[in-house]
């Protein structure tokens, strides 16, 4: 038996991608030549842009975080040096961080009930969704959003003391490797459900709004980050090309396949073969369209960068309510600062980041959802996507306070 388990472990070990010696390097391009060089680097499939998430987002004066596989790191650094670019090694060995991400030793066991301060698998999150609906029958309903490309159920929770109030729509985990996002969604749902009876603010939020929350959107990609490749970002669809996966946040019907999206199936920002090709994107878009005029707010939770991004991202254009979004984001960021001292920045997508076409929050805004964000949770790159579990609690507490500020505005209508 022992031998058998050992063999299984080895098999598992053999299929998983390892990141030994992989380095995340931060570099600030100072000239158009530097930008060109980094964009060329981005053509190498094995090179993984962490922030911005694609080489096309590289701009003069803006820091870039890039993960170089161990075998490339030395050459890459030489190249940067020769081009006169100074760089900083942000992560010395990605595999070491991957090994340390579960740093709440043993807390993953279910002995003391569900632990919100550890990362959970797809199966655990599925079970948790149904447990929430069972434990809080008057406040929570579970339903099927859709079935993923690989046939997994994508479930959502509708929360509130009634189901016909203006909607606040939230999704977490559209990008598979951003594990902190689904962790926040679970925490947030739990807070709304358990504080309803005792916390006046939560009671109002649950009485005045209907919360539609998809705790884990990209289920196939997420499962893949646990089984095979911790750095997977996209879905797991395959449309007959050498590479798998579509960037679900480039697959929405808003300037689809335009600037800031790639038509190369091997790119991490591949927009897919057609608008809403991904079942999760289609299903979420349907919810948005079916409830036109009745959704007050939309947030897609991502990581990392600590930033509130509001529309637009697909064009250098401001929304009609840009002042409101600026002011509200600023107050939400202040609530975070007051809670944990963390700094979050904010701004329209075109300003705070590179252009993005086919992203959900622009689509949501253009479908009459006035308060719409992509929120990038912790951190600012020390751990990047491999944020250790010991930081889940702080991240959730601070963002919960920001959500109270945002909900307050959403309830005003
Ligand atoms: O590029 C993205 O999809 C988001 N950043 S991430 O590193 N989490 O991948 C930012 C998207 C912001 N803009 C839009 N959603 N349009
Ligand atoms: Zn993301």
């Amino acid at each position: 038996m022992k031998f058998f388990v050992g063999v299984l472990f080895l098999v598992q070990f053999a299929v998983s991608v390892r990141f030994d010696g992989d380095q995340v390097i931060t570099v600030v391009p100072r000239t158009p030549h530097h930008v060109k060089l980094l964009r060329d680097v981005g053509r190498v499939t094995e090179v993984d842009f962490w922030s911005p998430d694609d080489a096309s987002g590289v701009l003069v004066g803006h820091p870039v975080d890039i993960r170089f596989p161990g075998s490339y790191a030395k050459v890459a650094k030489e190249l940067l040096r020769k081009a006169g670019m100074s760089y900083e090694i942000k992560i010395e060995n990605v595999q070491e961080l991957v090994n340390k991400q579960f740093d709440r030793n043993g807390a993953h066991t279910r002995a003391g009930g569900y632990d919100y301060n550890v990362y959970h698998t797809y199966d655990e999150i599925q079970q948790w969704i149904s447990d929430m609906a069972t434990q809080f029958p008057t406040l929570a309903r579970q339903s099927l959003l859709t079935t993923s490309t690989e046939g997994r159920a994508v479930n959502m929770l509708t929360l509130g003391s009634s189901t016909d109030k203006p909607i606040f729509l939230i999704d977490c985990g559209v990008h598979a490797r951003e594990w902190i996002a689904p962790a926040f969604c679970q925490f947030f749902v739990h807070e709304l459900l358990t504080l309803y009876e005792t916390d006046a603010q939560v009671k109002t939020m649950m009485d005045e709004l209907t919360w539609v929350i998809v705790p884990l959107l990209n289920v196939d990609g997420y499962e893949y980050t646990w089984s095979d490749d911790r750095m997977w970002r996209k879905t797991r669809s395959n449309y007959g090309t050498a590479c798998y996966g579509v960037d679900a946040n480039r697959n929405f019907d808003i300037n689809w396949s335009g600037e800031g999206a790639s038509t190369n199936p091997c790119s991490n920002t591949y927009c897919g073969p057609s608008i809403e090709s991904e079942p999760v994107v289609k299903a979420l878009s349907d919810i948005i369209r079916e409830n036109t005029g009745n959704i007050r707010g939309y947030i897609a939770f991502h990581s990392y960068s600590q930033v509130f991004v509001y529309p637009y991202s697909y064009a250098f254009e401001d929304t009609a309510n840009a002042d409101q979004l600026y002011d509200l984001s600023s107050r939400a960021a202040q609530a975070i600062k007051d809670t944990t001292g963390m700094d979050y920045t904010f701004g329209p997508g075109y300003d705070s980041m590179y252009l993005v076409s086919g992203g959900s929050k622009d689509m949501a805004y253009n479908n009459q959802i006035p308060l719409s964000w992509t929120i990038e949770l912790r951190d600012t790159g020390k751990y990047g996507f491999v944020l250790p579990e010991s930081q889940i609690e702080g991240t959730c507490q601070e963002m919960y306070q920001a959500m109270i500020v945002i909900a307050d505005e959403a309830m005003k209508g």
Side-chain angles (χ1 to χ4, degrees):
M1 181 64 189
K2 228 177 182 174
F3 170 72
F4 184 58
V5 172
V7 169
L8 264 185
F9 180 72
L10 277 178
V11 170
Q12 164 74 23
F13 202 69
V15 295
S16 290
V17 177
R18 291 190 54 90
F19 306 96
D20 300 289
D22 284 24
Q23 295 196 324
V24 177
I25 290 172
T26 301
V27 50
V28 187
R30 293 285 170 210
T31 67
H33 173 70
H34 292 165
V35 169
K36 186 179 176 307
L37 189 135
L38 290 177
R39 289 190 180 170
D40 287 346
V41 166
R43 284 212 207 107
V44 183
T45 317
E46 292 78 10
V47 172
D48 176 19
F49 277 66
W50 276 23
S51 178
D53 49 24
D54 187 73
S56 64
V58 174
L59 300 169
V60 173
H62 292 254
V64 186
D65 295 347
I66 310 170
R67 176 175 65 89
F68 290 103
S71 50
Y72 287 67
K74 203 168 159 230
V75 185
K77 284 182 282 190
E78 222 167 85
L79 186 93
L80 295 176
R81 252 195 311 268
K82 276 191 183 146
M85 301 170 79
S86 51
Y87 59 82
E88 187 197 325
I89 301 174
K90 241 180 178 170
I91 299 177
E92 280 281 354
N93 184 348
V94 175
Q95 185 62 42
E96 261 174 36
L97 295 196
V98 170
N99 297 343
K100 282 195 290 205
Q101 64 187 331
F102 303 114
D103 64 345
R104 300 225 334 143
N105 297 326
H108 205 249
T109 59
R110 301 285 290 279
Y114 201 77
D115 190 343
Y116 289 86
N117 298 321
V118 299
Y119 295 119
H120 289 280
T121 61
Y122 166 73
D123 287 338
E124 287 170 348
I125 295 172
Q126 281 297 98
Q127 184 61 48
W128 169 85
I129 291 175
S130 103
D131 289 349
M132 286 302 104
T134 313
Q135 285 168 28
F136 300 91
T138 56
L139 293 174
R141 282 148 293 266
Q142 171 190 342
S143 56
L144 181 73
L145 174 69
T146 187
T147 303
S148 71
T149 309
E150 293 185 329
R152 290 185 183 85
V154 184
N155 285 330
M156 59 187 187
L157 283 163
T158 304
L159 312 181
S161 48
S162 53
T163 49
D164 55 358
K165 295 290 177 185
I167 294 169
F168 203 110
L169 178 64
I170 294 177
D171 65 67
C172 287
V174 65
H175 288 144
R177 63 189 175 182
E178 300 163 9
W179 284 11
I180 185 63
F184 172 73
C185 256
Q186 292 166 72
F187 173 87
F188 185 61
V189 164
H190 188 247
E191 293 293 283
L192 291 182
L193 293 174
T194 52
L195 296 178
Y196 181 75
E197 301 289 349
T198 53
D199 184 317
Q201 176 74 31
V202 169
K203 184 168 188 315
T204 315
M205 283 160 69
M206 292 283 278
D207 288 345
E208 299 301 320
L209 293 169
T210 298
W211 296 84
V212 177
I213 301 181
V214 188
L216 178 61
L217 195 62
N218 179 5
V219 292
D220 296 343
Y222 189 74
E223 182 71 13
Y224 195 70
T225 58
W226 281 79
S227 64
D228 289 73
D229 181 352
R230 177 66 183 84
M231 294 308 150
W232 193 257
R233 163 185 169 92
K234 300 187 285 180
T235 64
R236 289 293 299 162
S237 315
N238 184 281
Y239 297 98
T241 60
C243 294
Y244 278 70
V246 168
D247 183 349
N249 205 33
R250 300 294 182 281
N251 193 233
F252 286 81
D253 189 3
I254 178 82
N255 199 37
W256 179 78
S257 87
E259 191 169 340
S262 173
T263 52
N264 173 4
C266 294
S267 164
N268 246 346
T269 54
Y270 176 44
C271 61
S274 57
I275 293 173
E276 297 172 13
S277 59
E278 303 314 284
V280 288
V281 172
K282 165 91 169 69
L284 197 72
S285 301
D286 284 343
I287 290 192
I288 290 173
R289 286 184 290 251
E290 282 158 15
N291 292 282
T292 305
N294 197 32
I295 310 183
R296 292 269 173 84
Y298 168 76
I299 299 177
F301 281 98
H302 289 245
S303 76
Y304 61 95
S305 292
Q306 298 180 190
V307 50
F308 293 81
V309 191
Y310 50 82
Y312 287 105
S313 283
Y314 80 89
F316 292 95
E317 198 184 311
D318 280 316
T319 63
N321 65 343
D323 290 349
Q324 183 190 21
L325 289 171
Y326 177 96
D327 175 65
L328 190 47
S329 304
S330 138
R331 287 191 283 126
Q334 187 59 46
I336 287 176
K337 183 86 181 160
D338 295 344
T339 307
T340 55
M342 283 292 159
D343 289 306
Y344 278 64
T345 59
F346 52 90
Y350 69 77
D351 192 32
S352 64
M353 296 179 115
Y354 39 94
L355 287 189
V356 166
S357 285
S360 63
K361 67 129 179 21
D362 284 357
M363 183 274 179
Y365 180 83
N366 274 14
N367 281 272
Q368 298 177 41
I369 306 182
L371 307 177
S372 177
W373 289 268
T374 294
I375 298 182
E376 305 271 5
L377 298 164
R378 287 195 201 176
D379 57 10
T380 54
K382 179 163 188 232
Y383 297 97
F385 301 117
V386 211
L387 193 74
E389 287 177 331
S390 52
Q391 289 205 40
I392 296 176
E393 189 173 6
T395 308
C396 291
Q397 292 291 355
E398 67 200 15
M399 192 49 66
Y400 174 72
Q401 294 304 325
M403 286 306 296
I404 289 184
V405 172
I406 288 172
D408 201 45
E409 182 91 359
M411 288 186 294
K412 284 183 194 151

